[in-house]
Amino acid sequence: MAGWPPVEWWRDAVIYQVYVRSFCDSDADGVGDLDGVRSRLGYLELLGVDAVWLTPFYPSPMADHGYDVADPRDVDPTFGDLAAFDALVDEAHRHGIRVTIDLVPNHTSSEHEWFRAAFDSAPDSPERARYHFRPGRGPDGAEPPNNWQSVFGGPAWTRLSGADGSGGEWYLHLFAAEQPDLNWTNPEVWADLEKTLRFWCDRGVDGFRIDVAHGMAKPEGLPDDDGAQARLLGDTTDDPRFDDDGVHDVHRMIRAVLDHYPGRMAIGEVWVYDDERFARYVRPDELHLGFNFRLLQTPFDATAVRTAIEHSIVAVESVGARPTWTLSNHDVSRPVTRFGGGAVGLARARAMALVTLALPGVVYLYNGEELGLPDVDLPGWALQDPVWERSGHTERGRDGYRVPVPWEGGPPGYGFSEGKPWLPMPDGWSELTAAAQLEDADSTLSMFRRALELRHSHAGFATNHSGLEWYGAPPGCLAFRRPGSTLVCALNASESPVPLPPGDVLLTSGPLAPDGLLPPNTAAWLA
C-alpha cells in the first residue's frame, strides 16, 4: 500500500462485507477467522472489490456473535490474534484492497471490565455512570424504568439483584441483556472510543463501519415510547430509542479523530427513513458515508426501485455526500430469497445487482451475494441468533442469511472448513461454489466480475456526478443514464419482453430474447 495517496478512495468504491465467522476457517474449528480471510484475498482481488468490511472480531462471549464486545482493542482467540490482524491488513494492502472494520459504540458486552465493575458497585457510583442504571417503577421498583422494548424482543431493561437478594437497579439494553447500552453523557465513554479509533488507525485500518450509528445518544429522562416499538430495521420516526439529536456530537468527534489520519473514512449504519434527518449524519463535519437502506427494503418493482434511488440521491445531495447502495447484509434476507426464491429470485437478484452497480457512489456487497446464495431454512436446533430465544422461538432470527460461504467441493464444509461448520451448510450447493462458478462464463460470479471490471475501466463510470438522467421506459421498466457519459442501465421488471434503449450492449444479467428484446427479470448495461 506504500505510495497510495490519501485521497477519498471510497467515493465510488465497491466494498465487500466479510462476515468473519462465515467466510473461511483456517484451523478446522468450524468458525471463520482472520487467517481464513487472508487466505482468500486473491479471490477478492480477482472479484475486483476495492475494500473489505470485517464484522467484529474482538474478544466477546458471542451472545450476539461478536456485536457484544468485551474489549474493542484486541482480537478474540476464535478469530486469531493481533499478529493475524496485522498480517491480514498488510497482505490486503499488497493486493490493493483497503480494510475497514466494525465498531460498536452503542453498547458493550456484559463481560466488559466496565460492566463487571458496575455490576459490583453501588447505585450512583462512577462505575454505574458509564451505563444507564435506574431504579424501577412501582412501590417496590419491580417494574422497568420505562416501557422501551429490546430490538431482540422483550423489555429493554434487566434488573440486578441487591446484595441481600432483593431487587436492585435496572440497566438498559436496546439489544440483548448481554449488551448493556453505554451512557454517552459520560466523558469516559467518549475518551474510550477516541482511544479505540486511534488504536486501529495506527495499525493501518482504512475505515470504520459504525454499528447502530443512529443510537448512542438517548433523550433526557428516557421517556416512555408511545409505540412501544421493538423494531430496528425500519422507520425510526417518533422512536425515542434512536436518532436523538445528541448523536451528531458523537459523530463530530469521530470525524475529528479521523481527520488526523488522511485517507480514513467512517460509514454509519443509519436506519433513518426521513431524507432530511438522514442527511444530518453525513454533513461535512460528521460521517463520510451513511448506509441508506431504502433500496434494500424495496420490492422488485420498477416504480418502487426508481423512487428508492431518487430518495437516496436526494438525501445526500444537499450536504455534498456520496450515496451508498446495498441489497444485502448479515441482518436481512438475501436478495435471491427476498425477490421470490428459485430461478425467478436469482434472475431478479442478478438484475438488481446490475442496477445497483450502475449507480453513482459506493456499493456494498455481502459475502456470498456474488455467488447468488439464497437464505437457508435451518433446523431449530441449529439456530444461534439471540432473536430466536428472546422471541420465545417465534422469530427465527438472522442465521439463515449467515450460513458459511461455499468455496469448492461438496458438503459438509464446501471448502469453508475441514471441521463441522458452525451453521450447517445445505446439500446441493456444489454448483454454487466459487470454484464451480469461476469455470462458468454465465454464472452469477462471472457476471459480478465483469460488472466490477467495467466499473473500474469503462469511461461511463468515470464521471463524478451523483445524479442520474432518467429515460422514458415501458410500463414496469426503468432506464437511466450516468450524466456526462453514454452509459445506460435498463431494467425490465414487467412480465413481457421489451425493446432495449439505443446503444451497444456491454453486459446483461441474463440472456437476451432471440429477437434482441430484454426479457422480464433482466437488466442490461449499454453504451
Side-chain angles (χ1 to χ4, degrees):
M1 178 153 172
W4 281 12
V7 297
E8 294 182 334
W9 57 266
W10 55 86
R11 288 183 59 84
D12 292 285
V14 176
I15 303 176
Y16 184 95
Q17 180 191 354
V18 172
Y19 192 71
V20 177
R21 65 186 299 114
S22 291
F23 193 64
C24 188
D25 170 26
S26 71
D27 58 7
D29 66 353
V31 178
D33 47 50
L34 297 177
D35 281 343
V37 177
R38 184 158 63 96
S39 74
R40 299 295 182 176
L41 288 172
Y43 167 83
L44 295 176
E45 183 179 11
L46 188 68
L47 178 58
V49 300
D50 301 292
V52 294
W53 150 32
L54 303 176
T55 55
F57 48 80
Y58 314 111
S60 168
M62 302 296 168
D64 189 21
H65 286 150
Y67 284 92
D68 49 319
V69 179
D71 182 350
R73 296 182 290 275
D74 204 352
V75 175
D76 192 280
T78 301
F79 303 123
D81 53 26
L82 283 170
F85 178 82
D86 292 341
L88 170 58
V89 172
D90 288 345
E91 189 163 338
H93 288 168
R94 287 196 294 273
H95 281 273
I97 297 172
R98 312 268 182 170
V99 177
T100 68
I101 63 175
D102 237 317
L103 285 185
V104 189
N106 181 72
H107 47 264
T108 71
S109 166
S110 56
E111 293 300 314
H112 191 288
E113 62 179 359
W114 278 4
F115 193 79
R116 293 201 304 267
F119 187 93
D120 294 333
S121 299
D124 299 322
S125 64
E127 290 79 9
R128 290 201 173 183
R130 296 164 176 153
Y131 297 90
H132 295 277
F133 280 87
R134 297 286 189 278
R137 296 195 286 197
D140 57 356
E143 297 296 323
N146 68 21
N147 71 342
W148 290 6
Q149 297 295 295
S150 163
V151 167
F152 291 159
W157 296 90
T158 291
R159 194 178 194 186
L160 301 183
S161 297
D164 60 357
S166 62
E169 287 192 313
W170 298 72
Y171 69 89
L172 176 68
H173 52 88
L174 294 185
F175 296 86
E178 297 86 356
Q179 294 169 288
D181 277 49
L182 287 163
N183 177 10
W184 277 90
T185 67
N186 189 311
E188 289 185 76
V189 174
W190 289 68
D192 193 67
L193 179 59
E194 178 175 350
K195 183 178 179 180
T196 296
L197 290 165
R198 293 185 182 280
F199 178 88
W200 293 111
C201 283
D202 290 340
R203 301 193 91 90
V205 162
D206 300 289
F208 301 90
R209 179 261 190 183
I210 311 298
D211 186 62
V212 196
H214 59 311
M216 295 175 279
K218 307 295 191 290
E220 186 175 356
L222 305 182
D224 275 347
D225 176 6
D226 292 339
Q229 301 156 98
R231 65 178 183 267
L232 170 67
L233 312 182
D235 188 6
T236 54
T237 304
D238 300 323
D239 184 344
R241 301 171 304 166
F242 299 109
D243 194 31
D244 183 79
D245 286 343
V247 75
H248 297 289
D249 290 331
V250 180
H251 294 311
R252 290 187 186 97
M253 180 272 282
I254 292 172
R255 180 59 175 264
V257 173
L258 295 187
D259 281 348
H260 289 281
Y261 293 89
R264 271 42 171 225
M265 70 85 158
I267 180 170
E269 179 196 28
V270 183
W271 287 99
V272 173
Y273 207 60
D274 180 80
D275 289 343
E276 181 180 349
R277 295 197 67 85
F278 180 90
R280 299 179 186 184
Y281 288 84
V282 289
R283 289 177 288 197
D285 62 342
E286 295 194 38
L287 299 172
H288 302 85
L289 301 168
F291 275 114
N292 190 314
F293 296 109
R294 280 184 179 270
L295 197 57
L296 180 148
Q297 296 174 301
T298 299
F300 190 76
D301 173 86
T303 300
V305 169
R306 175 170 174 168
T307 299
I309 292 171
E310 290 176 331
H311 271 285
S312 300
I313 291 174
V314 168
V316 297
E317 268 185 336
S318 63
V319 291
R322 296 293 279 174
T324 62
W325 313 98
T326 188
L327 296 173
S328 187
N329 65 41
H330 63 290
D331 283 330
V332 296
S333 177
R334 287 185 175 275
V336 170
T337 298
R338 209 167 65 237
F339 292 140
V344 169
L346 177 60
R348 291 174 172 176
R350 288 171 58 125
M352 284 300 299
L354 284 197
V355 171
T356 304
L357 288 166
L359 294 169
V362 186
V363 178
Y364 275 79
L365 306 176
Y366 174 45
N367 59 211
E369 184 177 350
E370 79 280 11
L371 302 178
L373 297 185
D375 296 348
V376 178
D377 186 13
L378 295 165
W381 60 262
L383 298 179
Q384 301 184 34
D385 191 334
V387 172
W388 176 239
E389 292 297 332
R390 286 186 64 87
S391 69
H393 293 184
T394 60
E395 298 288 339
R396 295 184 65 81
R398 301 159 293 177
D399 290 321
Y401 335 139
R402 301 175 174 183
V403 171
V405 173
W407 290 102
E408 61 258 341
Y414 292 98
F416 161 74
S417 177
E418 294 182 3
K420 180 181 178 182
W422 73 280
L423 287 174
M425 303 176 70
D427 294 334
W429 268 18
S430 295
E431 294 183 359
L432 293 179
T433 64
Q437 294 200 41
L438 283 171
E439 300 298 321
D440 180 1
D442 297 323
S443 70
T444 302
L445 176 57
S446 293
M447 183 200 76
F448 270 88
R449 288 184 61 201
R450 178 60 177 153
L452 268 60
E453 180 185 17
L454 286 169
R455 269 185 71 100
H456 286 110
S457 63
H458 193 277
F461 291 99
T463 62
N464 200 33
H465 295 274
S466 292
L468 296 173
E469 295 178 357
W470 294 95
Y471 272 60
C477 302
L478 64 79
F480 60 81
R481 183 171 70 87
R482 295 282 295 260
S485 80
T486 60
L487 182 72
V488 173
C489 176
L491 169 69
N492 183 1
S494 75
E495 297 181 357
S496 302
V498 297
L500 285 165
D504 295 327
V505 175
L506 299 175
L507 182 63
T508 62
S509 63
L512 296 177
D515 52 6
L517 298 179
L518 185 67
N521 305 322
T522 308
W525 290 359
L526 307 99

